[in-house]
């Protein structure tokens, strides 16, 4: 050690101590505590966004599958385009289901009072409403996503079959109608699930 040169010392600041304490405390939390720290209004808005996004995704997917097949089949049989355009309409209805559901739920959202933590009953209502809207949005979104894919695939097969055998159009159209009903079922169940939602305001 040379004279006049002080040895290097590592000083721990107060911010590093608080950061380490905060990290330790977070690691000790259970998953339940972590999810409880998330605002229920956040769960509600995420559920509404997912219901709308997945419904539009399902509609776009179905239109992509059925529309490309209809255009390809109309090269051989031009009459196919006019008859099978109903497949695109069924796919578009899936997106409309998501829009309707998002509008219904967004009208139920209200800003909770600032002192809601002091009122246990209102806090429980807020948690129940937030999770109800979230899972209802997940249900409607996934059902419409599957519905859009189902309608697109069945509409694609209907167009190809109609191009080769026109008599089979009505029979396959019934299958396509049943496929489009899946999204309507999800919409009805989602509305029922969110029927008791009441955000304290």
């Amino acid at each position: 050690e040379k004279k006049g040169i002080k040895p290097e010392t590592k000083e721990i600041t107060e911010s590093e101590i608080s950061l380490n304490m905060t990290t330790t405390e977070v690691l000790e939390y259970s998953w339940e505590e972590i999810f409880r720290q998330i605002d229920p209004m956040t769960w509600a808005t995420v559920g509404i966004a997912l219901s709308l996004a997945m419904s539009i995704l399902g509609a776009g997917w179905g239109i992509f599958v059925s529309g490309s097949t209809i255009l390809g089949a109309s090269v051989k049989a031009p009459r196919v385009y006019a008859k099978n355009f109903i497949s695109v309409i069924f796919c578009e209805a899936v997106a409309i289901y998501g829009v309707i559901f998002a509008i219904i739920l967004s009208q139920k959202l209200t800003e909770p009072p600032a002192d809601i933590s002091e009122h246990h009953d209102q806090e429980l209502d807020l948690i129940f409403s937030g999770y109800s809207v979230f899972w209802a949005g997940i249900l409607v979104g996934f059902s419409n996503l599957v519905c859009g894919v189902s309608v697109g695939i069945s509409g694609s097969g209907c167009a190809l079959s109609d191009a080769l055998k026109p008599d089979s159009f009505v029979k396959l159209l019934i299958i396509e109608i049943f496929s489009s009903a899946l999204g309507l079922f999800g919409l009805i169940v989602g509305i029922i699930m969110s029927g008791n939602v009441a955000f304290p305001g």
Side-chain angles (χ1 to χ4, degrees):
E1 182 178 354
K2 297 181 180 180
K3 187 176 180 181
I5 299 178
K6 297 182 179 180
E8 295 182 358
T9 57
K10 185 177 181 181
E11 297 181 358
I12 301 177
T13 61
E14 295 181 358
S15 60
E16 292 178 350
I17 296 175
S18 61
L19 178 61
N20 293 331
M21 292 177 61
T22 305
T23 306
T24 305
E25 292 176 357
V26 169
L27 291 177
E28 292 178 354
Y29 284 162
S30 62
W31 284 106
E32 180 183 359
E33 291 295 329
I34 293 175
F35 282 113
R36 284 179 65 89
Q37 298 302 319
I38 302 176
D39 188 7
M41 294 295 293
T42 303
W43 290 112
T45 52
V46 169
I48 295 174
L50 287 177
S51 67
L52 183 59
M54 287 191 290
S55 299
I56 295 175
L57 179 61
W61 197 342
I63 293 174
F64 167 73
V65 174
S66 62
S68 58
T69 306
I70 292 171
L71 292 176
S74 62
V75 175
K76 176 178 174 55
R79 57 179 176 78
V80 171
Y81 179 80
K83 292 174 63 177
N84 289 272
F85 190 75
I86 191 172
S87 301
V88 179
I89 297 175
F90 283 156
C91 293
E92 189 66 26
V94 174
I96 295 176
Y97 294 158
V99 172
I100 292 174
F101 187 73
I103 292 174
I104 292 174
L105 290 187
S106 62
Q107 291 179 349
K108 294 185 177 183
L109 297 180
T110 56
E111 186 68 25
D115 59 343
I116 191 172
S117 58
E118 300 177 0
H119 304 280
H120 185 64
D121 294 337
Q122 291 185 358
E123 187 176 8
L124 291 179
D125 290 338
L126 178 62
I127 295 173
F128 170 79
S129 300
Y131 279 105
S132 296
V133 171
F134 174 75
W135 288 112
I138 292 291
L139 170 67
V140 174
F142 271 110
S143 63
N144 286 336
L145 176 63
V146 175
C147 175
V149 175
S150 177
V151 172
I153 294 175
S154 60
S156 175
C158 182
L160 293 175
S161 178
D162 184 29
L164 298 175
K165 191 177 180 181
D167 297 338
S168 62
F169 174 76
V170 178
K171 299 176 183 178
L172 295 175
L173 183 62
I174 296 175
I175 300 175
E176 195 171 353
I177 293 173
F178 285 143
S179 299
S180 65
L182 297 176
L184 184 60
F185 294 157
L187 177 63
I188 294 173
V189 175
I191 293 176
I192 294 174
M193 286 179 60
S194 58
N196 294 327
V197 169
F199 286 93

